[in-house]
Amino acid sequence: MRFRTLVALTGAMALSLAGCANGDSTGSSSNTVTYWLWDANQLPAYEACAKDFKKQNPGLNVKITQMGWDDYWTKLTASFIAGTEPDVFTDHIVKFGQFADLKVLEPLDELPSTKGIKDADYQPGLAANWIGQDGHRYGSPKDWDTVALFYNKKMTEQAGVDAKTLNGLDWNPKDGGTFEKTIAHLTIDKNGKRGDERGFDKNNVKVYGLATNGGGDGDGQTQWSNFAASAGWTYTNQKRWGDHYNYDSKTFQSVMKWYFGLAKKGYMVPFTDWNSQSNQANTQVAAGKAATAFDGAWMISSYDAFKGMDIGTALTPTGPTGKRATMMNGLADSITKNAPNKEGAEKWVAYLASDECQTTVGKFGIVFPATPGGTDAAVAAYKKKGIDVTAFTRPVDEKKTFTTFSYPITDYAADVLALMKPAMQDIFGNDAPVSGLDETNSQINSLLSQ
C-alpha cells in the first residue's frame, strides 16, 4: 500500500489541476517570470543571469525567490495544490519523477524555445536523467556535483598522513583496506591514543577519523554510496526507471555492515552525535570533532570558509572493482504545467540552459555548471580563490578509473525514502542486522510492481 501522505497529495493535486484557477500570489504577469531556487549561495549568480536576460529580452523581468531546502519543497508542493506555483523552479532528480507523474511539469521538448536542448551540450549523463518514462524532457541541466573526501590538513599532517596517501587509499568490506587503517590512525581518544594503538578507548573519543552525515536513507550520497558502487553494486536493475531495487543484495549488505561498523569501532562519529539541521559532517569538521568527511562539491566554499583551518580534498578510495566511485548528481530547471507566464518561462529556461548563462554562473565559483564552458569557468574561479577542485573534476574526466552514477531514478521515490530512512537509521543507530533490509527491499519492490 502506498503511504497515505502520498496518496493524499496525489488526490489534492488532481483536484487542484482539475478545478482551480491559476493563482497570482507568485507575482507573475505578462512581463514577469517567477523563478524559485533554494541555494542562497547561488542567488547572486542567477541574479546576474537575470540581469543579462533582461537586456536580451526588453520588457521581460525575472523575479527570483530563494528559500531553505525544507521550506522550498513544502511551499512548492503547496503551490501546486493551491494553483500558485512559480513559472520556473530548480528541480531535483528524486522529485521530478513524481511531479511528472502528477502532470504538474511542462514537457520542455514541446516548447519552441526549449525543444532544442541536446544531451551532447552538457556533461555526460546530465540531460538524459531528465527524460521521463513517457519519453519527454522535464528539466534542463543547470549544474552537477560529485563527492570527495574533505580533510583537516593540520590533523592529517600531525598524524603523518600526506595528500599522496589520502589520494591513494583503497578499501574492501572484509578489513577496510588502507582507508580504514588511515581513518583509525586519524582517530584520537581522550587519553591521546590513536585508533590503531593498543589501549585505544572507543567509548571516549576526542577526534574521530571520519565525520558522519547520518544513515544515508536510500541513496547514501555523502555516506556510503561511493563504497557500494565501487564494490560493484547498483541501486536498481536499470540505470533509469528500474523496477527492482537491490537493497537485499549480499554485496550491499556486506558494505553496510562494514561501513556502519566504523562507528562501532570508534573511528566514525556515532549516529547519536549527528543532527540533520545542526550537526552535519561539515559542522563536525569545523568543530574539530572529525578529521575527514565525505561531502559534495556544493560544500566546497563552506569548508574553505572554516576559520583557522586549512582544508584539503582527496579522491574517494578505490574499491574491490578496482575503480573509484562517486555519485554525480545534477540539478535542472523545470517549467510548471500551469505556469502563468509560459512564454516568458520557456525563454528564461532556454537562457538558463545556455552556455552564456552557465559561464556567468561558473565565474562565481560556487557550483559546477552543466555545460563544459560553464565547468571550465568554475574551475578557473576556484583556482583564483586558491581552491583545488581536482578531486571533484577528475571523476568526470577519467572514466577508466572512476565510476560515476546518478541518484536512483524510479517511481515512488517518496515511498522509498519513507521506508529506507528508518531502516538505515535503525542499522546505524541501533545496530539492527543488515539482513532486515531484505524485508524493506521486498516492500519497495511490491510498490514498484503496481
Short mmCIF file of all heavy atoms in Angstrom, two decimals, residues 348-404:
data_model
loop_
_atom_site.label_atom_id
_atom_site.label_comp_id
_atom_site.label_asym_id
_atom_site.label_seq_id
_atom_site.Cartn_x
_atom_site.Cartn_y
_atom_site.Cartn_z
N TRP A 348 13.23 31.97 -20.42
CA TRP A 348 14.13 32.02 -19.28
C TRP A 348 14.86 30.69 -19.10
O TRP A 348 16.07 30.66 -18.89
CB TRP A 348 13.35 32.38 -18.02
CG TRP A 348 14.09 32.29 -16.72
CD1 TRP A 348 13.72 31.57 -15.63
CD2 TRP A 348 15.31 32.95 -16.34
NE1 TRP A 348 14.62 31.73 -14.59
CE2 TRP A 348 15.61 32.58 -15.00
CE3 TRP A 348 16.17 33.83 -17.01
CZ2 TRP A 348 16.74 33.04 -14.33
CZ3 TRP A 348 17.30 34.29 -16.33
CH2 TRP A 348 17.57 33.91 -15.01
N VAL A 349 14.15 29.58 -19.24
CA VAL A 349 14.77 28.27 -19.09
C VAL A 349 15.78 28.03 -20.21
O VAL A 349 16.87 27.47 -19.98
CB VAL A 349 13.71 27.15 -19.06
CG1 VAL A 349 14.37 25.77 -19.20
CG2 VAL A 349 12.92 27.22 -17.76
N ALA A 350 15.44 28.45 -21.41
CA ALA A 350 16.38 28.32 -22.53
C ALA A 350 17.66 29.10 -22.25
O ALA A 350 18.77 28.65 -22.55
CB ALA A 350 15.74 28.80 -23.83
N TYR A 351 17.51 30.27 -21.64
CA TYR A 351 18.69 31.08 -21.31
C TYR A 351 19.48 30.45 -20.18
O TYR A 351 20.71 30.42 -20.20
CB TYR A 351 18.28 32.51 -20.94
CG TYR A 351 19.47 33.41 -20.72
CD1 TYR A 351 20.27 33.80 -21.80
CD2 TYR A 351 19.84 33.81 -19.44
CE1 TYR A 351 21.40 34.59 -21.60
CE2 TYR A 351 20.97 34.60 -19.24
CZ TYR A 351 21.74 34.99 -20.32
OH TYR A 351 22.86 35.76 -20.13
N LEU A 352 18.78 29.92 -19.17
CA LEU A 352 19.46 29.24 -18.07
C LEU A 352 20.28 28.05 -18.57
O LEU A 352 21.34 27.74 -18.02
CB LEU A 352 18.43 28.74 -17.04
CG LEU A 352 17.75 29.78 -16.16
CD1 LEU A 352 16.60 29.14 -15.38
CD2 LEU A 352 18.75 30.40 -15.18
N ALA A 353 19.79 27.40 -19.61
CA ALA A 353 20.46 26.24 -20.16
C ALA A 353 21.60 26.60 -21.10
O ALA A 353 22.40 25.73 -21.48
CB ALA A 353 19.45 25.36 -20.91
N SER A 354 21.69 27.86 -21.46
CA SER A 354 22.69 28.28 -22.43
C SER A 354 24.09 28.35 -21.82
O SER A 354 24.27 28.54 -20.62
CB SER A 354 22.32 29.66 -22.99
OG SER A 354 22.50 30.68 -22.00
N ASP A 355 25.08 28.22 -22.68
CA ASP A 355 26.47 28.31 -22.22
C ASP A 355 26.78 29.70 -21.70
O ASP A 355 27.62 29.87 -20.81
CB ASP A 355 27.42 27.95 -23.37
CG ASP A 355 28.82 27.60 -22.88
OD1 ASP A 355 28.93 26.77 -21.96
OD2 ASP A 355 29.79 28.16 -23.41
N GLU A 356 26.08 30.71 -22.23
CA GLU A 356 26.30 32.08 -21.79
C GLU A 356 25.96 32.25 -20.31
O GLU A 356 26.77 32.75 -19.52
CB GLU A 356 25.45 33.05 -22.62
CG GLU A 356 25.63 34.51 -22.21
CD GLU A 356 24.79 35.46 -23.05
OE1 GLU A 356 24.22 35.01 -24.07
OE2 GLU A 356 24.71 36.65 -22.69
N CYS A 357 24.77 31.83 -19.92
CA CYS A 357 24.37 31.95 -18.51
C CYS A 357 25.21 31.03 -17.64
O CYS A 357 25.65 31.43 -16.55
CB CYS A 357 22.88 31.62 -18.36
SG CYS A 357 22.32 31.53 -16.64
N GLN A 358 25.45 29.81 -18.10
CA GLN A 358 26.19 28.87 -17.28
C GLN A 358 27.65 29.29 -17.08
O GLN A 358 28.25 29.03 -16.04
CB GLN A 358 26.08 27.46 -17.86
CG GLN A 358 24.63 26.99 -17.93
CD GLN A 358 24.45 25.51 -17.71
OE1 GLN A 358 25.39 24.74 -17.56
NE2 GLN A 358 23.19 25.08 -17.70
N THR A 359 28.21 29.97 -18.05
CA THR A 359 29.55 30.52 -17.88
C THR A 359 29.54 31.66 -16.86
O THR A 359 30.45 31.79 -16.04
CB THR A 359 30.11 31.02 -19.23
OG1 THR A 359 30.21 29.92 -20.14
CG2 THR A 359 31.49 31.63 -19.05
N THR A 360 28.48 32.46 -16.90
CA THR A 360 28.32 33.53 -15.91
C THR A 360 28.26 32.94 -14.50
O THR A 360 28.93 33.41 -13.58
CB THR A 360 27.03 34.34 -16.18
OG1 THR A 360 27.15 35.00 -17.44
CG2 THR A 360 26.79 35.37 -15.08
N VAL A 361 27.47 31.89 -14.34
CA VAL A 361 27.35 31.23 -13.04
C VAL A 361 28.69 30.64 -12.63
O VAL A 361 29.11 30.75 -11.46
CB VAL A 361 26.27 30.12 -13.09
CG1 VAL A 361 26.27 29.31 -11.80
CG2 VAL A 361 24.90 30.73 -13.32
N GLY A 362 29.38 30.02 -13.56
CA GLY A 362 30.66 29.40 -13.27
C GLY A 362 31.68 30.39 -12.72
O GLY A 362 32.48 30.05 -11.85
N LYS A 363 31.66 31.60 -13.22
CA LYS A 363 32.63 32.62 -12.80
C LYS A 363 32.48 33.01 -11.33
O LYS A 363 33.40 33.62 -10.76
CB LYS A 363 32.50 33.86 -13.69
CG LYS A 363 32.98 33.63 -15.12
CD LYS A 363 32.80 34.87 -15.98
CE LYS A 363 33.30 34.63 -17.41
NZ LYS A 363 33.09 35.82 -18.28
N PHE A 364 31.36 32.66 -10.71
CA PHE A 364 31.16 32.96 -9.29
C PHE A 364 31.87 31.93 -8.40
O PHE A 364 32.06 32.17 -7.21
CB PHE A 364 29.67 32.99 -8.95
CG PHE A 364 29.01 34.30 -9.30
CD1 PHE A 364 28.69 34.60 -10.61
CD2 PHE A 364 28.71 35.24 -8.31
CE1 PHE A 364 28.08 35.82 -10.95
CE2 PHE A 364 28.10 36.44 -8.62
CZ PHE A 364 27.78 36.74 -9.94
N GLY A 365 32.26 30.80 -8.98
CA GLY A 365 32.98 29.79 -8.20
C GLY A 365 32.19 29.25 -7.03
O GLY A 365 32.71 29.09 -5.93
N ILE A 366 30.92 28.92 -7.27
CA ILE A 366 30.04 28.39 -6.23
C ILE A 366 29.61 26.96 -6.56
O ILE A 366 29.41 26.13 -5.67
CB ILE A 366 28.79 29.28 -6.08
CG1 ILE A 366 29.21 30.69 -5.63
CG2 ILE A 366 27.81 28.69 -5.08
CD1 ILE A 366 29.87 30.74 -4.27
N VAL A 367 29.47 26.68 -7.85
CA VAL A 367 28.95 25.39 -8.29
C VAL A 367 29.53 25.10 -9.67
O VAL A 367 30.02 26.00 -10.36
CB VAL A 367 27.40 25.44 -8.34
CG1 VAL A 367 26.92 26.37 -9.44
CG2 VAL A 367 26.80 24.05 -8.49
N PHE A 368 29.50 23.82 -10.08
CA PHE A 368 29.95 23.44 -11.42
C PHE A 368 28.75 23.45 -12.37
O PHE A 368 27.89 22.56 -12.29
CB PHE A 368 30.57 22.04 -11.42
CG PHE A 368 31.83 21.92 -10.61
CD1 PHE A 368 31.86 21.09 -9.50
CD2 PHE A 368 32.96 22.62 -10.95
CE1 PHE A 368 33.02 20.96 -8.76
CE2 PHE A 368 34.13 22.51 -10.21
CZ PHE A 368 34.16 21.68 -9.11
N PRO A 369 28.65 24.41 -13.29
CA PRO A 369 27.54 24.42 -14.24
C PRO A 369 27.60 23.22 -15.18
O PRO A 369 28.65 22.60 -15.35
CB PRO A 369 27.75 25.74 -14.99
CG PRO A 369 28.50 26.60 -14.02
CD PRO A 369 29.44 25.65 -13.34
N ALA A 370 26.46 22.92 -15.80
CA ALA A 370 26.33 21.69 -16.58
C ALA A 370 27.06 21.70 -17.91
O ALA A 370 27.47 20.64 -18.40
CB ALA A 370 24.84 21.40 -16.83
N THR A 371 27.25 22.86 -18.53
CA THR A 371 27.96 22.90 -19.81
C THR A 371 29.46 22.85 -19.59
O THR A 371 29.96 23.32 -18.55
CB THR A 371 27.63 24.18 -20.60
OG1 THR A 371 28.11 25.33 -19.88
CG2 THR A 371 26.13 24.32 -20.84
N PRO A 372 30.21 22.29 -20.53
CA PRO A 372 31.68 22.26 -20.39
C PRO A 372 32.27 23.66 -20.20
O PRO A 372 33.19 23.84 -19.40
CB PRO A 372 32.14 21.61 -21.70
CG PRO A 372 31.00 20.72 -22.08
CD PRO A 372 29.77 21.50 -21.71
N GLY A 373 31.72 24.64 -20.93
CA GLY A 373 32.22 26.00 -20.80
C GLY A 373 31.97 26.55 -19.41
O GLY A 373 32.81 27.24 -18.83
N GLY A 374 30.79 26.26 -18.87
CA GLY A 374 30.46 26.69 -17.52
C GLY A 374 31.36 26.03 -16.48
O GLY A 374 31.80 26.65 -15.52
N THR A 375 31.64 24.73 -16.70
CA THR A 375 32.53 24.00 -15.80
C THR A 375 33.93 24.60 -15.80
O THR A 375 34.54 24.80 -14.76
CB THR A 375 32.61 22.51 -16.19
OG1 THR A 375 31.31 21.91 -16.04
CG2 THR A 375 33.60 21.77 -15.32
N ASP A 376 34.44 24.90 -16.99
CA ASP A 376 35.77 25.49 -17.11
C ASP A 376 35.83 26.83 -16.38
O ASP A 376 36.84 27.14 -15.72
CB ASP A 376 36.13 25.69 -18.58
CG ASP A 376 36.38 24.38 -19.31
OD1 ASP A 376 36.59 23.36 -18.63
OD2 ASP A 376 36.35 24.38 -20.55
N ALA A 377 34.78 27.62 -16.49
CA ALA A 377 34.74 28.92 -15.82
C ALA A 377 34.76 28.74 -14.31
O ALA A 377 35.41 29.51 -13.58
CB ALA A 377 33.48 29.69 -16.24
N ALA A 378 34.06 27.71 -13.82
CA ALA A 378 34.03 27.45 -12.37
C ALA A 378 35.39 26.99 -11.87
O ALA A 378 35.87 27.45 -10.81
CB ALA A 378 32.98 26.39 -12.06
N VAL A 379 36.04 26.10 -12.61
CA VAL A 379 37.37 25.62 -12.22
C VAL A 379 38.35 26.78 -12.13
O VAL A 379 39.13 26.89 -11.18
CB VAL A 379 37.88 24.56 -13.22
CG1 VAL A 379 39.35 24.23 -12.94
CG2 VAL A 379 37.03 23.30 -13.15
N ALA A 380 38.28 27.69 -13.11
CA ALA A 380 39.15 28.87 -13.12
C ALA A 380 38.85 29.78 -11.93
O ALA A 380 39.76 30.34 -11.31
CB ALA A 380 38.99 29.63 -14.43
N ALA A 381 37.57 29.92 -11.60
CA ALA A 381 37.16 30.78 -10.47
C ALA A 381 37.64 30.20 -9.15
O ALA A 381 38.13 30.92 -8.27
CB ALA A 381 35.65 30.95 -10.46
N TYR A 382 37.52 28.88 -8.99
CA TYR A 382 38.00 28.23 -7.77
C TYR A 382 39.52 28.38 -7.66
O TYR A 382 40.06 28.64 -6.57
CB TYR A 382 37.63 26.75 -7.76
CG TYR A 382 36.20 26.46 -7.37
CD1 TYR A 382 35.34 25.77 -8.22
CD2 TYR A 382 35.72 26.83 -6.12
CE1 TYR A 382 34.03 25.48 -7.85
CE2 TYR A 382 34.41 26.55 -5.74
CZ TYR A 382 33.57 25.87 -6.61
OH TYR A 382 32.28 25.59 -6.23
N LYS A 383 40.22 28.22 -8.78
CA LYS A 383 41.68 28.35 -8.78
C LYS A 383 42.10 29.74 -8.36
O LYS A 383 43.07 29.92 -7.61
CB LYS A 383 42.22 28.02 -10.18
CG LYS A 383 43.74 28.01 -10.25
CD LYS A 383 44.21 27.60 -11.64
CE LYS A 383 45.73 27.56 -11.70
NZ LYS A 383 46.23 27.15 -13.06
N LYS A 384 41.36 30.74 -8.82
CA LYS A 384 41.64 32.13 -8.45
C LYS A 384 41.49 32.34 -6.95
O LYS A 384 42.18 33.15 -6.35
CB LYS A 384 40.71 33.06 -9.23
CG LYS A 384 41.06 34.53 -9.11
CD LYS A 384 40.18 35.39 -10.00
CE LYS A 384 40.56 36.86 -9.89
NZ LYS A 384 39.69 37.71 -10.77
N LYS A 385 40.58 31.59 -6.36
CA LYS A 385 40.36 31.66 -4.91
C LYS A 385 41.37 30.82 -4.13
O LYS A 385 41.37 30.81 -2.91
CB LYS A 385 38.95 31.17 -4.56
CG LYS A 385 37.82 32.03 -5.09
CD LYS A 385 36.48 31.41 -4.70
CE LYS A 385 35.30 32.23 -5.22
NZ LYS A 385 33.99 31.64 -4.83
N GLY A 386 42.21 30.09 -4.86
CA GLY A 386 43.18 29.24 -4.21
C GLY A 386 42.64 27.89 -3.79
O GLY A 386 43.19 27.23 -2.91
N ILE A 387 41.55 27.45 -4.42
CA ILE A 387 40.90 26.19 -4.08
C ILE A 387 41.14 25.14 -5.17
O ILE A 387 40.83 25.37 -6.34
CB ILE A 387 39.38 26.38 -3.89
CG1 ILE A 387 39.10 27.43 -2.82
CG2 ILE A 387 38.72 25.07 -3.52
CD1 ILE A 387 37.64 27.78 -2.66
N ASP A 388 41.71 24.02 -4.79
CA ASP A 388 41.96 22.93 -5.72
C ASP A 388 40.72 22.03 -5.78
O ASP A 388 40.31 21.46 -4.77
CB ASP A 388 43.17 22.11 -5.24
CG ASP A 388 43.50 20.95 -6.16
OD1 ASP A 388 42.90 20.85 -7.24
OD2 ASP A 388 44.35 20.11 -5.77
N VAL A 389 40.12 21.90 -6.95
CA VAL A 389 38.87 21.13 -7.08
C VAL A 389 39.06 19.86 -7.90
O VAL A 389 38.08 19.25 -8.33
CB VAL A 389 37.75 21.99 -7.69
CG1 VAL A 389 37.40 23.14 -6.76
CG2 VAL A 389 38.15 22.51 -9.07
N THR A 390 40.29 19.44 -8.11
CA THR A 390 40.52 18.27 -8.96
C THR A 390 39.91 16.99 -8.41
O THR A 390 39.57 16.08 -9.17
CB THR A 390 42.03 18.04 -9.19
OG1 THR A 390 42.70 17.97 -7.91
CG2 THR A 390 42.63 19.18 -9.99
N ALA A 391 39.74 16.90 -7.08
CA ALA A 391 39.12 15.70 -6.52
C ALA A 391 37.68 15.55 -6.99
O ALA A 391 37.14 14.44 -7.00
CB ALA A 391 39.17 15.76 -4.99
N PHE A 392 37.07 16.66 -7.38
CA PHE A 392 35.68 16.63 -7.86
C PHE A 392 35.59 16.52 -9.38
O PHE A 392 34.65 15.94 -9.91
CB PHE A 392 34.96 17.89 -7.40
CG PHE A 392 34.87 18.03 -5.91
CD1 PHE A 392 35.81 18.77 -5.21
CD2 PHE A 392 33.87 17.39 -5.19
CE1 PHE A 392 35.75 18.88 -3.83
CE2 PHE A 392 33.80 17.49 -3.82
CZ PHE A 392 34.75 18.24 -3.13
N THR A 393 36.57 17.07 -10.09
CA THR A 393 36.51 17.06 -11.55
C THR A 393 37.12 15.81 -12.18
O THR A 393 36.71 15.40 -13.26
CB THR A 393 37.20 18.31 -12.12
OG1 THR A 393 38.57 18.35 -11.66
CG2 THR A 393 36.49 19.58 -11.67
N ARG A 394 38.09 15.20 -11.53
CA ARG A 394 38.73 14.02 -12.11
C ARG A 394 37.76 12.88 -12.39
O ARG A 394 37.88 12.21 -13.43
CB ARG A 394 39.87 13.54 -11.21
CG ARG A 394 41.17 14.32 -11.41
CD ARG A 394 42.31 13.72 -10.60
NE ARG A 394 42.59 12.34 -10.97
CZ ARG A 394 43.50 11.57 -10.34
NH1 ARG A 394 44.18 12.07 -9.32
NH2 ARG A 394 43.70 10.33 -10.74
N PRO A 395 36.79 12.62 -11.51
CA PRO A 395 35.84 11.53 -11.81
C PRO A 395 35.08 11.74 -13.12
O PRO A 395 34.69 10.77 -13.78
CB PRO A 395 34.88 11.56 -10.61
CG PRO A 395 35.71 12.11 -9.51
CD PRO A 395 36.57 13.15 -10.15
N VAL A 396 34.88 13.00 -13.50
CA VAL A 396 34.17 13.30 -14.74
C VAL A 396 35.09 13.15 -15.94
O VAL A 396 34.66 12.76 -17.03
CB VAL A 396 33.59 14.73 -14.69
CG1 VAL A 396 32.85 15.07 -15.98
CG2 VAL A 396 32.64 14.86 -13.50
N ASP A 397 36.37 13.43 -15.73
CA ASP A 397 37.33 13.41 -16.83
C ASP A 397 37.97 12.05 -17.06
O ASP A 397 38.43 11.76 -18.17
CB ASP A 397 38.45 14.44 -16.56
CG ASP A 397 37.92 15.87 -16.47
OD1 ASP A 397 36.90 16.15 -17.12
OD2 ASP A 397 38.53 16.68 -15.74
N GLU A 398 38.03 11.21 -16.02
CA GLU A 398 38.76 9.95 -16.12
C GLU A 398 37.83 8.75 -15.93
O GLU A 398 37.75 8.16 -14.87
CB GLU A 398 39.88 9.92 -15.07
CG GLU A 398 40.88 11.06 -15.21
CD GLU A 398 41.91 11.07 -14.11
OE1 GLU A 398 42.08 10.03 -13.42
OE2 GLU A 398 42.56 12.11 -13.92
N LYS A 399 37.14 8.41 -16.98
CA LYS A 399 36.15 7.33 -16.91
C LYS A 399 36.77 5.94 -16.73
O LYS A 399 36.10 5.02 -16.26
CB LYS A 399 35.28 7.34 -18.18
CG LYS A 399 34.44 8.60 -18.34
CD LYS A 399 33.47 8.77 -17.19
CE LYS A 399 32.55 9.97 -17.40
NZ LYS A 399 31.64 10.18 -16.25
N LYS A 400 38.04 5.78 -17.09
CA LYS A 400 38.65 4.46 -16.99
C LYS A 400 38.93 4.07 -15.54
O LYS A 400 38.97 2.87 -15.22
CB LYS A 400 39.97 4.44 -17.79
CG LYS A 400 39.77 4.47 -19.30
CD LYS A 400 41.09 4.32 -20.02
CE LYS A 400 40.88 4.30 -21.54
NZ LYS A 400 42.17 4.13 -22.27
N THR A 401 39.14 5.06 -14.68
CA THR A 401 39.46 4.75 -13.29
C THR A 401 38.36 5.13 -12.31
O THR A 401 38.47 4.85 -11.12
CB THR A 401 40.77 5.46 -12.87
OG1 THR A 401 40.64 6.86 -13.13
CG2 THR A 401 41.95 4.91 -13.65
N PHE A 402 37.31 5.77 -12.82
CA PHE A 402 36.21 6.21 -11.96
C PHE A 402 34.87 5.69 -12.47
O PHE A 402 34.64 5.62 -13.68
CB PHE A 402 36.12 7.74 -11.90
CG PHE A 402 37.21 8.39 -11.10
CD1 PHE A 402 38.41 8.73 -11.70
CD2 PHE A 402 37.04 8.67 -9.76
CE1 PHE A 402 39.42 9.35 -10.98
CE2 PHE A 402 38.04 9.28 -9.03
CZ PHE A 402 39.24 9.62 -9.63
N THR A 403 34.00 5.36 -11.55
CA THR A 403 32.61 5.05 -11.86
C THR A 403 31.76 6.19 -11.33
O THR A 403 31.84 6.52 -10.15
CB THR A 403 32.16 3.74 -11.18
OG1 THR A 403 32.89 2.65 -11.73
CG2 THR A 403 30.67 3.51 -11.41
N THR A 404 31.00 6.83 -12.21
CA THR A 404 30.06 7.85 -11.75
C THR A 404 28.66 7.33 -11.96
O THR A 404 28.39 6.58 -12.90
CB THR A 404 30.23 9.18 -12.52
OG1 THR A 404 30.07 8.95 -13.92
CG2 THR A 404 31.60 9.79 -12.26
#
